[in-house]
Amino acid sequence: MEFMGDRATLLDTGRFVRRHAQRAADDIIEAAVAVDEAVDTTAENETETEARHRRAAESGDTAAMSVLGALLLRRGDLDGAEPYLRGATAEGDRAAANNLGVLLHQRGYAEEAAGWWRVAAVAGSAPAAHALGRYHRERGDEPAAEYWLRQSAEQGHALGAYALADLLEHRSDVGAERWLRAAAEQGHREAAYRLARTLEARATGTTDGAATAPHGTGTRLRAATAPDGPGGLPSGGELSEAEQWYRQAAARGHRRAALHLGAILEKRGELKEAGRWYLSSAKEGEAKAACALGFLLRDAGDEESAAVWWLRAAQDGDGNAANALGALHAARGEQQTAERWYRAAMDAGDVNGAYNLGLLCAAQDRTQQAEQWYRRAAYAGHREAANALAVLLLQAGDAGGAEPWFSKAAEAGSVDAAFNLGILYAGRDDDHTALSWYERAAAAGHTEAALQVGIACLRDGDEQAAERHLRCAAGGGSAEAAFRLATVLDARRPEPAPPALGAPREEKSECEEWYERAAQQGHRRAQVRVGMLAAARGDVADAAHWYREAAEAGSRNGAFNLGLLLAREGSEREAALWWTRAARAGHGRAALRLALLAARRGELTEGRRWCARAVELGPAEVAERAARLSEALHQELTA
């Protein structure tokens, strides 16, 4: 319990029995200020000022005794301070009574100290009322503590206001915020920090928690964001005020406030200022700030400086920083060093360390060890480790062992686990249960789950719901979803009218844009469709480009269509090469085209061979035409 930390506590010069002239009191206050200035300049001036007060005290000056006692008390000279403080107290100096209580408390005489604090507090000393309130709270007498702390706070004493707020907050009393604000407005940095935390929590409805970090990162401190409200004003206003109190506390050297202020600024994109506050906090020993600064530097491309700050944070016991160092060394191929840092993260209590060790072992095909680390993290509640463990068990053929871990991870909020449960149930032909898990994962933004829900809706004839889910999946980057969405939109389009001579080229429709997006992602069927739409517009070059892309990726339809395009352009030899590729991949029309081409060249035997292939591949109309052509070629050969 520290009562000496506040300068006003030691140098308060009010009275509690006799009243001296106001001028004398003012002179004492000025003398106290002069002493403080002397302490900051030279020891010689300090000695001279102390000697002056000592002479006055020895001549019986009560004020001088009080100030001299306070000076000696601050210096730690309890034996020297006590007689002067007792002398001034006997003469009715309330500051001396308060400081005598401080001295006795330091000696271990708490009850006697409380007696003198009571005397000073009754006489109107706010610091003494604060000290007395703290004394009663430590002994469990909260009503008495509240009474005296309120007396101190209502006199404008910052420490009293803060201690009262702390007491009320412990009881969940709504009045706590008022006194936190009062203390903060008087410059109390811890009060400013706690007021900021209160405002931020109320604005966002969230509390700090340990997020699950992916492999290769730690858990970055995240600034809270305001939920949407009517205009966003109430939450936004409180967040803005919280930022100001963080800023005030940070400017006064509060390292946690500097950390949170840096997080808010980083979230807003003000990275340079965020870095300055992280640096300030990190230099004061805040490991989380050092870790956050490391991430900021890494994102800026300065990996070496990032490693320096991560190392500093990790050595101070920050598990996130140890994970980040592990990921850094793993990316460099330094597996043993990476493993050492992941173990350090785990030893620091960060469950991500065990999860990352599992990932490291899995990447090295050390499956048994990976399973052990995943299992350790999963039992500690790491949802992604539970999902990874389930995947490992499923790959080993243990579907029964995998399912409980998928369920545990999904119930804990793992989107991947929910999707994997969908796959598991779909494999058992339990489409209803599979769809419910897909829907859950899709609602959380899982792209592939949204695709599966969209496909199910198409199967059930609910085109509107299908479109909604396919749009979500396509927007998330799924090429298959973009293609299926395009086919849904394509089916609604009216048949295009024949192009009129001189008419302007039509703008690309939305369905064509989705086809193109899928095509650009390498979707072969989409590439063929984009080629067909381009050909229909008369854009031969674009059509050839997309047909070739599809054909080179192994699309037999792409190869066949590219052959048709080349043949029309007069490149029959190259067309034959693409038809051959398509026919060998099972395209019946391509085989028929090759048969016709061979017949025109007089290569009757070759023609009959391709006819046989076309009959085999179909479809029916192709098989029929190929059979007739084969018979004609046979007659020609036997004529």
Side-chain angles (χ1 to χ4, degrees):
M1 183 171 170
E2 296 180 356
F3 299 113
M4 292 183 56
D6 187 40
R7 183 170 297 176
T9 302
L10 299 177
L11 301 179
D12 187 345
T13 56
R15 306 294 177 187
F16 65 85
V17 177
R18 297 185 307 169
R19 300 293 181 193
H20 293 273
Q22 183 63 43
R23 179 176 177 80
D26 291 342
D27 287 344
I28 293 169
I29 293 172
E30 290 173 4
V33 174
V35 170
D36 288 336
E37 292 173 351
V39 170
D40 293 334
T41 54
T42 64
E44 183 180 351
N45 289 341
E46 180 186 354
T47 303
E48 182 182 343
T49 303
E50 182 182 329
R52 177 163 52 82
H53 283 297
R54 192 179 293 276
R55 288 193 298 271
E58 288 172 353
S59 67
D61 189 310
T62 301
M65 286 191 286
S66 179
V67 174
L68 180 59
L71 287 170
L72 294 171
L73 181 60
R74 288 183 65 184
R75 188 184 299 163
D77 185 358
L78 304 188
D79 291 335
E82 185 170 354
Y84 290 108
L85 291 176
R86 286 190 180 276
T89 299
E91 292 297 319
D93 189 291
R94 76 178 187 193
N98 175 53
N99 290 334
L100 180 58
V102 173
L103 184 147
L104 291 168
H105 188 273
Q106 289 189 11
R107 287 192 186 278
Y109 303 120
E111 290 187 12
E112 187 180 354
W116 288 112
W117 282 329
R118 181 180 296 276
V119 169
V122 169
S125 171
H130 163 244
L132 189 57
R134 291 284 300 274
Y135 167 82
H136 284 297
R137 187 178 181 188
E138 288 179 356
R139 277 149 186 79
D141 188 352
E142 289 198 1
E146 181 179 351
Y147 175 82
W148 288 111
L149 291 175
R150 195 174 292 277
Q151 294 294 315
S152 176
E154 288 176 349
Q155 292 180 66
H157 192 262
L159 292 176
Y162 176 72
L164 177 59
D166 188 62
L167 178 65
L168 295 174
E169 190 173 71
H170 175 70
R171 298 206 306 250
S172 301
D173 192 311
V174 293
E177 185 178 332
R178 170 197 170 192
W179 293 111
L180 270 181
R181 189 178 296 276
E185 287 171 349
Q186 294 178 68
H188 194 292
R189 68 181 191 180
E190 184 64 26
Y193 170 70
R194 287 178 64 175
L195 178 58
R197 301 289 293 131
T198 299
L199 292 168
E200 184 180 28
R202 186 165 63 238
T204 62
T206 58
T207 57
D208 284 346
T212 299
H215 180 50
T217 69
T219 305
R220 297 184 73 159
L221 185 75
R222 294 177 183 174
T225 54
D228 293 335
L233 294 176
S235 296
E238 288 189 323
L239 283 173
S240 178
E241 186 183 359
E243 180 183 341
Q244 295 308 311
W245 287 117
Y246 279 138
R247 193 176 292 276
Q248 179 172 311
R252 291 177 179 272
H254 196 292
R255 67 189 194 185
R256 292 285 295 172
L259 169 66
H260 283 274
L261 178 58
I264 288 171
L265 293 166
E266 182 183 359
K267 178 73 175 179
R268 206 160 59 212
E270 299 175 23
L271 303 184
K272 189 172 182 180
E273 189 180 358
R276 286 201 299 269
W277 286 113
Y278 283 149
L279 179 62
S280 171
S281 180
K283 284 182 175 178
E284 291 297 318
E286 181 58 54
K288 287 185 178 180
C291 182
L293 180 59
F295 281 115
L296 211 59
L297 290 165
R298 183 204 63 181
D299 292 346
D302 190 354
E303 203 172 74
E304 294 304 318
S305 296
V308 169
W309 286 107
W310 283 333
L311 178 61
R312 181 168 174 172
Q315 288 173 339
D316 286 339
D318 190 278
N320 293 332
N323 268 319
L325 280 172
L328 185 66
H329 288 288
R332 294 173 177 173
E334 300 165 358
Q335 306 300 331
Q336 288 184 339
T337 308
E339 185 169 337
R340 179 167 60 85
W341 282 115
Y342 288 148
R343 287 180 182 272
M346 188 175 60
D347 292 341
D350 191 329
V351 69
N352 287 311
Y355 174 56
N356 285 337
L357 277 168
L359 291 171
L360 190 70
C361 292
Q364 298 171 351
D365 294 326
R366 294 154 58 191
T367 307
Q368 188 174 0
Q369 289 175 283
E371 181 182 337
Q372 291 173 354
W373 290 118
Y374 286 150
R375 197 175 292 277
R376 180 167 178 172
Y379 276 120
H382 196 295
R383 65 191 187 194
E384 297 308 328
N387 178 60
L389 174 61
V391 170
L392 213 59
L393 293 171
L394 193 62
Q395 289 172 344
D398 186 3
E403 185 178 349
W405 286 112
F406 277 139
S407 296
K408 185 175 181 179
E411 292 298 342
S414 171
V415 181
D416 287 336
F419 176 67
N420 288 336
L421 273 173
I423 294 174
L424 195 67
Y425 282 106
R428 297 172 181 172
D429 294 326
D430 187 350
D431 292 338
H432 178 73
T433 307
L435 181 59
S436 68
W437 283 111
Y438 285 145
E439 286 174 339
R440 183 166 175 173
H446 195 287
T447 298
E448 291 303 312
L451 170 62
Q452 293 303 320
V453 175
I455 292 171
C457 290
L458 283 177
R459 184 177 61 241
D460 295 339
D462 188 350
E463 191 175 289
Q464 191 172 12
E467 181 182 344
R468 185 174 69 253
H469 284 101
L470 289 173
R471 283 187 183 277
C472 289
S478 169
E480 181 64 25
F483 173 73
R484 287 179 180 267
L485 174 60
T487 59
V488 169
L489 298 173
D490 204 0
R492 297 176 187 166
R493 287 200 312 161
E495 286 294 326
L501 187 63
R505 179 176 293 182
E506 291 184 8
E507 294 293 326
K508 291 181 181 179
S509 63
E510 186 188 5
C511 78
E512 188 169 356
E513 289 174 354
W514 283 113
Y515 278 135
E516 282 193 0
R517 182 178 295 193
Q520 288 162 357
Q521 293 175 255
H523 194 286
R524 294 184 301 181
R525 292 170 65 193
Q527 289 169 339
V528 173
R529 185 62 182 149
V530 171
M532 292 171 66
L533 291 171
R537 288 197 311 270
D539 190 344
V540 176
D542 199 32
H545 165 74
W546 287 115
Y547 287 151
R548 192 176 296 276
E549 287 284 325
E552 289 177 347
S555 168
R556 62 191 186 187
N557 285 332
F560 175 70
N561 287 356
L562 179 58
L564 290 177
L565 204 64
L566 291 167
R568 291 192 191 108
E569 295 295 312
S571 302
E572 198 172 73
R573 183 181 296 275
E574 188 180 355
L577 294 175
W578 288 110
W579 284 333
T580 301
R581 181 181 291 192
R584 286 174 178 167
H587 199 289
R589 294 184 187 278
L592 180 58
R593 287 277 175 174
L594 288 168
L596 290 168
L597 193 61
R600 285 202 303 269
R601 291 174 178 170
E603 299 169 356
L604 306 183
T605 304
E606 180 73 5
R608 288 202 70 201
R609 185 171 67 83
W610 282 117
C611 283
R613 179 66 172 158
V615 169
E616 177 188 346
L617 295 173
E621 62 175 277
V622 169
E624 185 181 346
R625 290 182 60 194
R628 290 200 303 268
L629 178 59
S630 179
E631 181 60 29
L633 292 175
H634 176 68
Q635 291 176 3
E636 184 71 23
L637 282 168
T638 57

